[in-house]
Every structure is written in C-alpha cells, then in structure tokens.
Amino acid sequence: MGERKRIGILTSGGDCAGLNAVIRAVVYRATGTYGWEVLGIRQATQGLMNRPPQFIPLEIEKVDPLLTAGGTILGTTNKGDPFAFPMPDGTLCDRSEEIIAGYHQLGLEAMIGIGGDGSMAILRRLAQQGDLNLVAIPKTIDNDVGVTEHSIGFDTAVNIATEALDRLHFTAASHSRVIILEVMGRDAGHIAISSGIAGGADVILIPEIPYTIDSVCRKIQQRQEQGKNYSLMIVSEAVRTETGESVVSTNRLGQCRYGGIGQYLADEICSRSGAETRVTVLGHIQRGGTPSPLERLIAAAFGVAAVDLIAEEKYDQMVTWQKRQVVSVPITEAIAQYRAVDSNGTLVKTARGLGICLGD
Ligand code: F6P
C-alpha cells in the first residue's frame, strides 16, 4: 500500500458507452489496491470552476453497478473552453485559474481526465499552467486520437452501427431499395469503414477517400445485373458533396454540426439511377447504451493503468491500446497525431478485396 492520496477523475467532451466502466475500474484500483480517495468531478472542468467545487465521493459500492451503464455518472460537456469561456453577456473570458484553484482547493494530488483530443489539449494546458498532475484516458466514438488503436466508445458505436446495417438489410431487400445509413465520426471514417465491412455494406463512403456518384450508381447497377435488387450503403457524416461542400446545419446559437450527407446522396442516386432510396441517420444512438465486452475490457485496462501511472508519479501521460497492450505515451505525442483512416491500410484493402465500392 502506498501513501493515502486523494485523486480526481473527470469526463470531458461528448459522452459514450464505456465511460462508467472506466470510472469503476479507476475506483477499484485506486481505493481497493492503494487505499486512496477518489473524487468524481462533476460536468468536466466546470465542476472545478464552480464554488464550492462540485464532486461526488466515489467508493466501490457506488461504482459497482456501473459496468454496464451507458453515459457518465459524472456528467460531461463538449462546450465551454475554459480559456475562452462564454459569459452571459456574450464575451469570452479566460477562467483557467478558477479551475486550477478548484483542483487545489479539493486537495487533489492527481487527476485522471477522460476525453478526446480537444479535451486533452485543454486539460494539458491547465495542467502545465497550474502544476496539476494529469493522466489522460482517450475517449471518442470517432476513434481519431493519435497513437491509440482504440479509444473508449468506439467499439460500442461500431457494434450499434453494425446492428443497424443488419436490420436495414432485410427491409432493403424486401422493398428493393437502396438504403443509406449515415453514421457519426466527425472528420474520420473509422465507424463507417469498420461497421460497413462487419455489416456487409455494398458501398462505404468515408471522408478520407474521394468518391463520385457515378461510381456508386455503377455499383448499384452491377448488383441489379447480378439479380440483387437492393443495396446497402454506409456514409460517414463528414463526407462532402461530390462538388466538395460539407453538409452541415447551424442552429440558432450559431453552432455548426454535420448532418444531411445521407439525404444528399439519396437524392442524387435516385435522380441519376432511378433507384428508390431511403436514409437512416443513426445519430446519438451510437453513443448510448451498454458497452460492448471489448469496450469493458479496454475500459478496465485503461482505468487500472491510469491509476498505476499515478502510483508511479508518471504524469502528463496518456494510456493507449497498442497490439493488445496498454502503453503510456506523453499526452503531447497523442494529441499531435490525428488518426484518420489509412486509405492504404488493412481495412480499406479488406473492403476492396470484398468488392465493396468505396466510391472511387
Ligand atoms: O465526437 C463525437 C461526436 O459524437 C461526433 O461523432 C459527432 O459529430 C459529434 O460528437 C456530435 O456532437 P453533439 O453531441 O454536440 O451533437
């Protein structure tokens, strides 16, 4: 047993399946093995900005039922950069010192931050500025954090998108339709390529590979000539129109989000090939629900490894998954490398090898 430390844990950025499983693993390791105290910080860094700082004391009894629970019991946000925090009067204010003061007020000796590359860059900047001991755990259904093969949330999102394709298959075949499934992933096509292969899609469009509608229509026609009266297509939300415009919508607060590429493709394919098309936008369903077994496994491994890094006083590190091992790397290294789909990598080659049309 080491000295009795008090550590914090927070979740930042969009939620996903597996976050609670990480929290559970951290509490098991920190309290069970090392006898430390764990405070769960509410609503990402906002919990440290509030006065008094907002937290939940975490014990094994509290986190025990969390293995299969979706979301995050701590709450999270993907808004409100503390270095340019939106104030009620419309101005932006640097509130980083309040967060740093919150950390010290709680008497934390270290903090585990679970987030994507954007959250990690913010947390690291806070840690550097305020001398906070930070260990990071990568999380994002987009799976675009550099260096790690898996981020928390990705595997479950792939499972959900694959199941959606499985279901759409039958209705597409019954009605002789082209059904397009639009999935998330921000600027990376990891969810689309993985679930597209796993779910037997005929066409997979990802932002990393330019496409033409004609190529997609040729594939649909080829299938018809082979007696296959339907086609299943999966498209990543950041795929652009054929002429290169991104398809986004902006709400009344001026926030811009991807969405609508599926409908654009459906209209174009229908008018050029005459095929009857339908669109399903999977949306936030990809972030919810019970984490997959692989997700829980990685969550457990990341949680234990992050606590062990604190025990060794190895800070400014992120845990990563590489070849079924947890390896820690400097946070700067992880956020410096964006991980897009490798257009010459195994998954793209596999898709091509199966005769799946990638639109090019
Ligand atoms: O980064 C995760 C993600 O789910 C993206 O795939 C998606 O574009 C975005 O977040 C949606 O964000 P929000 O929850 O703000 O709508």
Side-chain angles (χ1 to χ4, degrees):
M1 282 247 300
E3 71 193 278
R4 185 167 166 82
K5 286 185 197 291
R6 175 184 279 184
I7 67 168
I9 179 168
L10 60 79
T11 48
S12 179
D15 78 319
C16 61
L19 290 174
N20 282 326
V22 176
I23 295 167
R24 176 180 179 271
V26 164
V27 173
Y28 260 77
R29 186 64 164 169
T31 66
T33 307
Y34 296 109
W36 301 343
E37 207 180 339
V38 183
L39 306 189
I41 312 296
R42 306 293 308 263
Q43 284 321 112
T45 49
Q46 279 182 29
L48 294 175
M49 202 187 274
N50 290 344
R51 292 294 174 271
Q54 304 289 299
F55 67 90
I56 317 174
L58 296 174
E59 282 129 26
I60 289 183
E61 296 68 43
K62 189 166 204 109
V63 298
D64 217 16
L66 291 182
L67 186 59
T68 56
T72 161
I73 52 154
L74 301 178
T76 188
T77 175
N78 57 4
K79 294 193 289 287
D81 173 358
F83 294 94
F85 195 83
M87 302 302 284
D89 64 1
T91 57
L92 296 175
C93 176
D94 181 352
R95 301 190 64 183
S96 54
E97 282 302 326
E98 293 166 62
I99 292 170
I100 292 164
Y103 170 99
H104 292 299
Q105 241 183 58
L106 290 180
L108 300 178
E109 287 182 55
M111 186 166 74
I112 295 177
I114 313 172
D117 54 355
S119 299
M120 250 173 253
I122 289 172
L123 291 174
R124 180 166 195 275
R125 196 170 155 198
L126 288 166
Q128 296 294 300
Q129 182 178 318
D131 212 11
L132 320 183
N133 295 325
L134 176 68
V135 169
I137 297 181
K139 162 275 358 165
T140 167
I141 66 164
D142 308 337
N143 212 28
D144 57 358
V145 174
V147 191
T148 185
E149 289 159 17
H150 276 276
S151 289
I152 298 296
F154 173 64
D155 188 66
T156 307
V158 169
N159 276 258
I160 293 167
T162 304
E163 194 200 331
L165 283 175
D166 292 346
R167 289 172 188 267
L168 292 171
H169 197 106
F170 295 103
T171 174
S174 304
H175 284 270
S176 304
R177 285 173 173 163
V178 172
I179 296 200
I180 300 168
L181 178 68
E182 180 180 313
V183 292
M184 285 184 167
R186 202 105 52 181
D187 299 305
H190 294 288
I191 297 177
I193 189 91
S194 298
S195 49
I197 294 170
D202 306 298
V203 180
I204 302 175
L205 300 186
I206 56 174
E208 293 85 348
I209 300 182
Y211 71 98
T212 65
I213 307 268
D214 283 347
S215 157
V216 174
C217 290
R218 265 198 307 279
K219 174 70 180 177
I220 293 166
Q221 194 188 344
Q222 217 179 62
R223 282 179 53 79
Q224 282 162 351
E225 286 162 7
Q226 292 164 349
K228 293 167 184 154
N229 63 343
Y230 71 95
S231 290
L232 215 50
M233 197 167 151
I234 185 163
V235 58
S236 199
E237 62 180 358
V239 166
R240 292 170 177 248
T241 65
E242 205 178 19
T243 46
E245 290 95 36
S246 33
V247 186
V248 293
S249 59
T250 306
N251 67 14
R252 276 193 289 170
L253 299 173
Q255 296 158 335
C256 193
R257 291 204 170 74
Y258 286 123
I261 185 64
Q263 191 58 54
Y264 161 82
L265 292 166
D267 294 342
E268 289 296 318
I269 292 167
C270 176
S271 66
R272 292 196 211 181
S273 71
E276 190 181 354
T277 52
R278 293 288 187 276
V279 183
T280 298
V281 180
L282 206 48
H284 291 80
I285 287 173
Q286 291 157 97
R287 300 217 310 231
T290 308
S292 69
L294 178 61
E295 201 82 80
R296 297 180 213 177
L297 181 82
I298 296 173
F302 277 177
V304 167
V307 173
D308 288 348
L309 283 172
I310 295 175
E312 293 161 30
E313 299 188 354
K314 280 176 77 180
Y315 302 121
D316 203 18
Q317 297 278 307
M318 183 182 91
V319 294
T320 69
W321 188 259
Q322 298 178 21
K323 302 190 177 80
R324 289 186 71 80
Q325 302 284 332
V326 179
V327 178
S328 74
V329 300
I331 297 174
T332 42
E333 198 181 304
I335 56 184
Q337 294 178 43
Y338 180 74
R339 212 175 78 84
V341 172
D342 177 359
S343 45
N344 294 309
T346 298
L347 292 189
V348 168
K349 284 185 185 152
T350 303
R352 293 196 196 284
L354 294 172
I356 297 171
C357 169
L358 299 177
D360 50 351

